[in-house]
Amino acid sequence: MAARGFPYTDLKDFLAALEREGELRRVDVPVDPTLEISEVVTRTVRAGGPALLFERPTRGEMPVAINLFGTEKRTAMALGVESLDEIGNRIGELLKPELPVGFSGMMGGLGKVMQLKSMPPKKVKTAPCQQVVYRGADVDLNRLPGLQVWPGDGGIFHNFGLTHTKHPETGKRNLGLYRLQQHSHNTLGMHWQIHKNSTAHHAVAERLGQRLPVAIAIGCDPVVAYASSAPLPADIDEYLFAGFLRGERVEMVDCLTVPLQVPAHAQVVLEGYLEPGERLPEGPFGDHTGFYTPVEPFPVLHVEAMTMQRDPVYHSIVTSKPPQEDHGLGKATERIFAPLLRFLIPDIVDYDLPSAGVFHNCAIVSIRKRYPKHAQKVMNAIWGAHMMSLTKLIVIVDEDCDVHDYNEVAFRAFGNVDYARDLLLTEGPVDHLDHSSYQQFWGGKAGIDATRKLPSEGYTRGWPEEMTMSPEVVSLVDKRWKEYGI
């Protein structure tokens, strides 16, 4: 069931919907984007509080919207559903390969095709995001209330800028979410990591000795904002995915100075180029890992045009160790992509990415175990599955274990494992931001087999039966509970 008002036209429309539902609080006193907003937001997130609209930031020329995805409820509302699993179920239906049988089957197949037809973005000639235009010397990034989130940060960062690039040879578009350090009034550091598609686009442009055009959209509608963070395969366009989630096409408009398109209803758009070979030190930055990432050289965006809506709203996010606002985004990805992961690895029953593991350090996976070393087979399949390849720790449990119940998972992982036999150690790629690996970009990984062991796996003692109360006694106590006076 879609949320009221969905799909939202733009960020302002979503903020209005949040306010109607009591999920938005306006802060009408002056608040400093340097550190103060960060502390207010962090306390709000950890108290399970609302989205915030800082109406009077002491720096910049527009209000700051933040903590929009801070709970699973708001994230579901952003994506127009009651439960994030609804989207995963829709994807699961599209992945079903069976042939249609009879008229109803044909109509079902037609429905799938119609869902796919709604995906492609729609080009428009005029757009709200170009109501106000600054070019050349009039460009001033200080109009934006960018945040300094932590005391040791290297300066002001724009943390929710949706970055658009195209492959210089194929023309294929990429949309990504990367932090942007403000170097000056018209330059930004582009912190795109080694595993990201935009990094590959830039590498091709540099090999060809060409500038790379870049467009950054800030303050997009929440579906497009989520789609920018989704770990899609390189051959799936993020705007096709956003159209699928919205149930209607995303409106796009040509940029004014670069050969790219951006969402027509973005609040702010930055257009510019990367010069081949140019790098500047970027960072440090307090990241979602809970640690500062070090200073590294990254490409520099020269902003040549800045367009925006009249009375725009600036969107950002605070990064810190969990819990933080990205919990909602991470859980959305977990639930939405569960059917796709099961499609790739049918052995999987369910999985959970704990937010304490910042969503790529640990995966808990349940399987329907059928043969010896089945758990190890699934571990290796996960380490070969797109961005799941960055997972450092995989815990495999039986299908009767609720992977979202961390106490139950711990009970299995602590009690069901002989660590001389059931621990698989290997090496492979890790996240760019991982500080624990002795070498950047790769390190050690572990898989824990916490399933019941089979005689064919060398376990000859006979696996014990787990204690459970008889259903008759459970029912009796349910009926008599009030009598006990407890």
Side-chain angles (χ1 to χ4, degrees):
M1 178 180 173
R4 186 158 60 99
F6 185 84
Y8 311 106
T9 302
D10 62 5
L11 174 60
K12 294 174 186 173
D13 192 20
F14 179 49
L15 293 175
L18 289 175
E19 194 160 32
R20 285 194 300 269
E21 296 296 321
E23 288 286 337
L24 175 73
R25 183 68 53 83
R26 294 174 181 266
V27 180
D28 61 4
V29 297
V31 186
D32 193 343
T34 300
L35 303 181
E36 187 179 8
I37 283 181
S38 171
E39 179 64 14
V40 173
V41 171
T42 298
R43 294 188 190 193
T44 302
V45 169
R46 291 176 182 174
L52 300 173
L53 184 65
F54 292 94
E55 297 182 309
R56 299 170 61 191
T58 58
R59 184 163 39 73
E61 300 176 356
M62 58 196 73
V64 178
I66 203 162
N67 195 25
L68 305 188
F69 300 97
T71 64
E72 291 182 47
K73 176 184 177 182
R74 277 201 300 282
T75 303
M77 188 176 170
L79 300 179
V81 293
E82 293 290 330
S83 164
L84 295 171
D85 283 310
E86 291 178 35
I87 300 172
N89 293 338
R90 285 174 58 199
I91 292 175
E93 287 298 315
L94 288 174
L95 292 172
K96 285 185 178 178
E98 69 269 12
L99 294 173
V101 178
F103 179 75
S104 62
M106 291 175 62
M107 292 304 294
L110 180 61
K112 291 184 180 182
V113 172
M114 294 306 293
Q115 281 195 63
L116 292 169
K117 277 192 72 175
S118 73
M119 293 184 186
K122 174 184 178 182
K123 182 179 176 181
V124 296
K125 293 183 178 180
T126 61
C129 71
Q130 295 173 347
Q131 290 171 340
V132 179
V133 178
Y134 301 99
R135 298 176 188 252
D138 293 328
V139 170
D140 187 0
L141 297 175
N142 294 312
R143 291 188 171 92
L144 306 177
L147 305 184
Q148 181 179 346
V149 174
W150 295 103
D153 285 355
I156 293 170
F157 287 81
H158 305 282
N159 294 336
F160 224 111
L162 278 57
T163 301
H164 301 73
T165 59
K166 282 198 304 189
H167 192 289
E169 294 176 326
T170 67
K172 182 164 181 57
R173 170 174 53 212
N174 183 68
L175 171 65
L177 181 61
Y178 317 114
R179 75 182 192 228
L180 307 161
Q181 182 173 1
Q182 185 171 318
H183 290 315
S184 72
H185 73 285
N186 64 352
T187 57
L188 294 168
M190 306 296 298
H191 188 275
W192 44 40
Q193 299 160 26
I194 190 172
H195 304 109
K196 305 299 184 181
N197 293 327
S198 289
T199 306
H201 292 184
H202 185 227
V204 173
E206 289 199 312
R207 176 170 56 80
L208 298 173
Q210 298 176 359
R211 285 174 150 189
L212 182 72
V214 176
I216 295 166
I218 298 173
C220 295
D221 84 76
V223 172
V224 170
Y226 168 71
S228 72
S229 75
L232 296 170
D235 56 349
I236 297 181
D237 185 277
E238 287 83 3
Y239 284 104
L240 294 177
F241 182 57
F244 169 78
L245 296 179
R246 285 171 57 88
E248 66 177 40
R249 300 161 71 183
V250 178
E251 292 188 347
M252 308 282 287
V253 68
D254 286 337
C255 290
L256 301 181
T257 63
V258 293
L260 296 167
Q261 292 183 343
V262 289
H265 295 275
Q267 300 294 304
V268 177
V269 175
L270 310 175
E271 304 176 8
Y273 290 90
L274 305 181
E275 295 288 353
E278 184 180 17
R279 303 286 191 281
L280 279 178
E282 193 273 354
F285 179 75
D287 222 310
H288 69 282
T289 60
F291 296 87
Y292 289 103
T293 51
V295 175
E296 293 183 86
F298 276 95
V300 181
L301 176 65
H302 296 265
V303 181
E304 299 191 343
M306 183 177 187
T307 75
M308 60 185 70
Q309 293 192 22
R310 297 186 188 93
D311 302 318
V313 176
Y314 178 85
H315 180 205
S316 193
I317 189 171
V318 166
T319 53
S320 78
K321 69 179 180 182
Q324 193 47 268
E325 179 185 348
D326 59 2
H327 169 84
L329 293 168
K331 283 298 169 183
T333 293
E334 174 196 292
R335 294 296 89 204
I336 290 170
F337 287 90
L340 182 58
L341 188 61
R342 284 193 289 263
F343 182 77
L344 295 172
I345 311 172
D347 317 71
I348 291 175
V349 174
D350 199 3
Y351 79 122
D352 183 279
L353 304 176
S355 60
V358 295
F359 298 105
H360 52 70
N361 284 339
C362 178
I364 302 165
V365 180
S366 60
I367 65 170
R368 188 171 295 112
K369 186 170 178 176
R370 295 186 290 112
Y371 47 80
K373 299 299 179 182
H374 195 167
Q376 287 77 0
K377 181 250 191 182
V378 172
M379 294 171 195
N380 286 298
I382 291 171
W383 282 320
H386 191 45
M387 297 305 288
M388 291 292 289
S389 65
L390 303 180
T391 307
K392 293 202 297 182
L393 174 65
I394 300 173
V395 181
I396 307 290
V397 294
D398 288 299
E399 64 177 311
D400 62 348
C401 178
D402 180 359
V403 294
H404 311 295
D405 182 344
Y406 297 155
N407 285 332
E408 179 65 18
V409 171
F411 173 73
R412 308 280 181 120
F414 298 160
N416 283 6
V417 179
D418 177 341
Y419 283 93
R421 294 173 176 265
D422 302 330
L423 178 65
L424 176 64
L425 297 177
T426 186
E427 291 180 333
V430 298
D431 189 80
H432 188 130
L433 303 178
D434 192 294
H435 63 279
S436 66
S437 58
Y438 283 57
Q439 301 291 328
Q440 192 175 29
F441 308 131
W442 65 273
K445 297 164 178 281
I448 296 174
D449 179 2
T451 63
R452 300 176 183 89
K453 304 309 180 296
L454 305 173
S456 51
E457 292 176 299
Y459 186 88
T460 58
R461 298 171 58 197
W463 196 263
E465 180 183 355
E466 186 177 339
M467 301 171 298
T468 58
M469 183 53 67
S470 64
E472 295 81 9
V473 173
V474 171
S475 178
L476 172 66
V477 172
D478 284 343
K479 291 176 181 177
R480 297 196 59 195
W481 186 254
K482 291 184 179 179
E483 293 181 44
Y484 305 141
I486 298 172

